[in-house]
Each structure stands twice: as structure tokens, then as C-alpha cells.
Amino acid sequence: DIQSLFRNVKTFVTTPPVAPKFTQAFLNKIWARPLISDEYGQLPCLPETTERRIDLGLGIEVENPRCLVLGDDDLMSLCWSLKSDIPCDVFELDDRLLDFLREQNLPGLKVHKRDLTTGMPSEYHNRYHAIYTDPMYTRAGMDMFFLCCSQALSPDPGARIFLTTRPDLIEDGKLLEERLAHVDLEIAQHRVDFSRYRWPRAVAQRAFHQLQGKGLSTHLLTHLLAVPLYHADMLEVKRRG
């Protein structure tokens, strides 16, 4: 989408650098992470984004706190478990990531391999005060994650789902609030351009070929796609009512 491409460039040139307080143990460990897998559509965010997302969840005060991560190429569960002793479950399909997380031997981290196409197992329903997910942009895939999040979210009014996405790029993004309402969820806060990612060269090349012939010169398109970062929004989602 050309408008979204211009938005991304504008964000890059106008947003001041983010300088979070990194968790040193997290930085030390992420260098050994598995390489990105195209099979699972992985695009890990910058470590500073992972840290800022985790800080949002750790700021929630509820009884019996527990965290859930659905898909973890951003290593959210690792960061969470290094910064907190609050239990964290992660559901992931990539065996390499699963092995990497298990090797960390963190007492509060439980790693599960499971296909979520049939929803969350009943023993995980109504259990989590903080849920993180960065799902695929197709409607069917994202709606599957919405259902799992709704099933897993604690009934505590302070419980939140931290959903990373781009409503202007996802399939049926204009219907996002209706789709969330269908599983009894609603947006509590929308943080535009909260998350940052490095653009892999292969992704930029695919975007270049897809956008050719859309009215931009090849020279301009090349420079727009040379921006090294991609930005996405953070939606804090809660139960309706």
C-alpha cells in the first residue's frame, strides 16, 4: 500500500530515537537466537521494542498474575522471564525457537508446541493478565489468534492483550473493531508506530516488485524502501464492557 509506505518513511524521519534501559541478560542471550524462518513468516522486532512491550505488561497489577505469548519470534517470553518471576507460557510452532527457549532453563517459563487452529485448550482459559501476540496479517489467521486471546484472557478488568499489527495493512483492517467485538474484545488504547523492526532485504525486494506500476517512479520507490525500519502499532485490548 503506497500510503502506508509513505507513513512508514515519515515515521522514520520524524520519530526521535528510543533509548530504553536494556536488560543486559536479555541482550546477552538474543545473539544466540535461531535465524529468521520464512516458513513461519517471522519478522522479529528490535530488542528495545520487546523491552517496551514487556514493561507495559509488567505494569499491570492484578492478583495471581500470569503471562501468555502466542508466537514468539520477538522473544517476548525470554525477556519477560529475565525481568520477572511471574509465570509465563509461550505457544510456538518453530522447533528451533522452542529448543532455544527451553535451553534457557528459566524457572517461570513454560514452553508449548501446539497448533492453535482449534483454539486454546480449556485448561488455559481465563488464566492470563497479560497476553502478547503479533499475528499474521490475513483475516483468517488473525481471527484465529483473536479467539485464542479471548479464551485465555483473565476476567480481571485490568487484564490486557498487547496486539501488535498495522490496521491499515491487514486484511479487512477497517473491520478490526467489529472482528474483536465478535470474540467479546475491544480496543482500550492505540499506540501508533509503537513497534520497530529491521526490514529484511528480501521483504523490501518483494515490496518493490509489488508496488511497481502503482504510479511511483522506480527511483523514488527504491529510496522509500531503503528506509531500514518498519513500524507497527500496539493495540491494548480488553474484554468488552
Side-chain angles (χ1 to χ4, degrees):
D1 181 85
I2 292 176
Q3 289 184 341
S4 297
L5 177 60
F6 275 98
R7 170 189 152 179
N8 190 66
V9 174
K10 181 180 179 181
T11 300
F12 176 74
V13 299
T14 60
T15 303
V18 178
K21 295 180 181 178
F22 284 113
T23 301
Q24 189 61 46
F26 179 58
L27 292 181
N28 291 344
K29 288 180 176 295
I30 60 177
W31 304 114
R33 64 160 299 148
L35 296 176
I36 298 171
S37 169
D38 285 337
E39 179 183 358
Y40 297 106
Q42 295 172 347
L43 182 62
C45 65
L46 299 184
E48 55 89 359
T49 294
T50 295
E51 291 258 8
R52 289 189 295 125
R53 290 182 190 167
I54 290 302
D55 287 342
L56 292 176
L58 289 176
I60 299 174
E61 295 184 3
V62 296
E63 293 185 10
N64 302 315
R66 194 176 189 94
C67 175
L68 172 67
V69 181
L70 297 181
D72 200 16
D73 57 322
D74 296 324
L75 301 181
M76 305 294 298
S77 63
L78 174 60
C79 186
W80 178 281
S81 299
L82 289 169
K83 297 184 74 157
S84 168
D85 58 2
I86 297 173
C88 180
D89 290 312
V90 57
F91 285 71
E92 173 61 58
L93 284 177
D94 187 341
D95 286 317
R96 302 167 312 137
L97 274 178
L98 292 167
D99 290 342
F100 172 76
L101 291 172
R102 291 187 182 109
E103 289 167 2
Q104 307 312 310
N105 234 0
L106 295 168
L109 177 58
K110 293 188 177 180
V111 181
H112 312 267
K113 181 174 182 178
R114 187 177 178 93
D115 184 349
L116 297 175
T117 54
T118 57
M120 290 292 292
S122 59
E123 61 266 32
Y124 299 100
H125 285 201
N126 305 311
R127 192 176 186 186
Y128 302 94
H129 84 288
I131 300 176
Y132 294 93
T133 189
D134 189 350
M136 62 286 287
Y137 281 15
T138 61
R139 172 159 184 167
M142 185 169 281
D143 286 350
M144 174 185 70
F145 276 75
F146 290 169
L147 174 62
C148 292
C149 288
S150 179
Q151 292 172 333
L153 188 65
S154 164
D156 190 293
R160 292 291 184 268
I161 299 162
F162 297 100
L163 167 65
T164 301
T165 192
R166 280 284 297 266
D168 58 334
L169 289 179
I170 64 175
E171 186 178 3
D172 287 339
K174 293 181 179 179
L175 302 176
L176 181 60
E177 293 190 30
E178 294 178 30
R179 292 162 55 194
L180 288 169
H182 185 69
V183 289
D184 199 32
L185 299 174
E186 64 182 4
I187 298 172
Q189 186 168 353
H190 186 162
R191 291 181 168 88
V192 177
D193 295 324
F194 180 92
S195 297
R196 306 197 302 167
Y197 307 75
R198 290 187 182 89
W199 272 71
R201 183 178 298 273
V203 175
Q205 289 174 342
R206 286 200 298 269
F208 178 84
H209 292 301
Q210 291 169 354
L211 290 169
Q212 278 186 310
K214 295 291 183 69
L216 295 180
S217 70
T218 299
H219 180 74
L220 177 57
L221 190 56
T222 299
H223 281 79
L224 291 175
L225 288 169
V227 172
L229 298 180
Y230 166 78
H231 301 81
D233 300 349
M234 168 64 73
L235 306 180
E236 286 190 34
V237 177
K238 65 177 184 177
R239 290 205 182 276
R240 295 182 71 194

